[in-house]
């Protein structure tokens, strides 16, 4: 009810309830003010566009990276794109173990820096601090994304406009509305991740 009035998701109730007690507790601790500034700066560097509604950082598990690597092997792919690479949980293991061109897009500064650092000795990997909406997917046999239900329709439009016929799009956790996946892979990780695999056909 309260969330309907405020037009907010239900989990905001927890934030409203915890806000005041947390503020009072932190005040009594009398922490130096620069610590708050540092925390805000760090959060901004990690969650960059989240305040304006963009996708936040969640990390894929090792099991997801292994499953994606198996799919890439099966597809005999030579070029792979990771849209919103985070700290490289999928892109880095793929680039490490395979003779595969790996291009990763990540625009939040700190995750981008971590992925770029992890890829520094991998000549087959490129990590771009550019919005994924500005990339072109025309040369990839497999594209991976773990984003948000809010962007799946727009992402579907981009994929159908740019990915070549016969290529494969893998979406972690979130299906593209009204698209029929070629296969669905259930991962046995803590989050029980589902990979939705879409074959691009014209
Ligand atoms: C849910 S996380 C997934 C991270 C990583 N792919 C993984 O599986 O561990 C989504 C990532 O997409 C990034 N992101 C969101 N919108 C983006 C955009 N427009 N361009 C590039 N990266 C974006 C976020 O900063 C975040 O790191």
């Amino acid at each position: 009810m309260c969330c309907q009035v405020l037009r907010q998701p239900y989990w905001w109730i927890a934030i409203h309830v915890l806000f005041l007690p947390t503020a009072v507790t932190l005040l009594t601790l009398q922490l130096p003010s620069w610590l708050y500034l540092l925390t805000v700066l760090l959060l901004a560097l990690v969650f960059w566009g989240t305040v304006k509604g963009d996708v936040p950082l969640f990390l894929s598990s090792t099991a997801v990276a292994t499953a994606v690597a198996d799919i890439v092997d099966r597809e005999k792919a030579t070029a792979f794109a990771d849209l919103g690479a985070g700290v490289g949980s999928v892109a880095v293991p793929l680039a490490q173990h395979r003779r595969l061109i790996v291009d990763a897009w990540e625009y939040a500064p700190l995750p981008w820096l971590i992925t770029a650092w992890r890829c520094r000795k991998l000549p087959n990997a490129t990590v771009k601090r550019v919005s994924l909406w500005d990339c072109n997917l025309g040369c990839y046999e497999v594209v991976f994304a773990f984003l948000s239900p809010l962007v799946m329709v727009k992402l579907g439009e981009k994929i159908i406009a740019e990915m070549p016929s016969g290529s494969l799009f893998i979406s972690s956790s979130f299906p593209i509305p009204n698209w029929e996946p070629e296969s669905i892979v259930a991962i046995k990780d803590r989050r029980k991740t589902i990979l939705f695999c879409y074959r691009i056909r014209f």
Side-chain angles (χ1 to χ4, degrees):
M1 175 66 186
C2 141
C3 287
Q4 278 164 355
V5 173
L6 297 173
R7 293 198 203 155
Q8 288 172 335
Y10 68 92
W11 46 265
W12 266 89
I13 296 177
I15 294 175
H16 290 304
V17 169
L18 291 175
F19 182 80
L20 200 57
T22 308
V24 171
T25 310
L26 286 174
L27 276 176
T28 56
L29 290 177
Q30 299 205 320
L31 298 171
S33 51
W34 58 262
L35 208 57
Y36 293 101
L37 182 62
L38 188 68
T39 309
V40 169
L41 283 177
L42 271 176
L43 288 174
L45 290 174
V46 173
F47 292 104
W48 206 239
T50 309
V51 268
K52 52 180 177 67
D54 283 348
V55 182
L57 176 69
F58 294 105
L59 305 184
S60 286
S61 61
T62 310
V64 167
T66 307
V68 174
D70 288 346
I71 296 171
V72 165
D73 277 353
R74 257 200 322 272
E75 294 290 312
K76 297 189 177 39
T78 57
F80 171 84
D82 187 350
L83 305 180
V87 297
S89 311
V90 173
V92 173
L94 272 161
Q96 273 168 346
H97 295 298
R98 273 139 249 274
R99 278 194 212 123
L100 179 72
I101 292 169
V102 173
D103 288 341
W105 282 265
E106 173 54 59
Y107 79 161
L110 203 51
W112 165 78
L113 195 63
I114 292 169
T115 307
W117 174 256
R118 293 181 71 195
C119 289
R120 70 195 181 284
K121 291 186 181 155
L122 301 171
N124 54 327
T126 310
V127 188
K128 304 171 203 223
R129 227 211 112 223
V130 177
S131 173
L132 62 93
W133 303 113
D134 296 331
C135 74
N136 189 297
L137 302 173
C139 61
Y140 302 100
E141 289 118 343
V142 179
V143 172
F144 171 80
F146 173 25
L147 294 171
S148 142
L150 297 179
V151 299
M152 293 318 288
V153 170
K154 185 176 171 195
L155 189 60
E157 287 164 7
K158 180 173 175 63
I159 279 158
I160 207 70
E162 295 176 12
M163 283 185 71
S165 184
S167 59
L168 192 76
F169 172 62
I170 308 169
S171 176
S172 175
S173 308
F174 309 114
I176 303 180
N178 305 319
W179 282 34
E180 192 61 42
E182 179 184 80
S183 62
I184 290 178
V185 182
I187 309 290
K188 289 186 185 132
D189 59 3
R190 193 178 47 81
R191 215 184 272 135
K192 296 188 173 41
T193 306
I194 305 280
L195 299 180
F196 298 90
C197 305
Y198 299 96
R199 181 73 56 192
I200 311 305
R201 294 200 195 286
F202 305 134

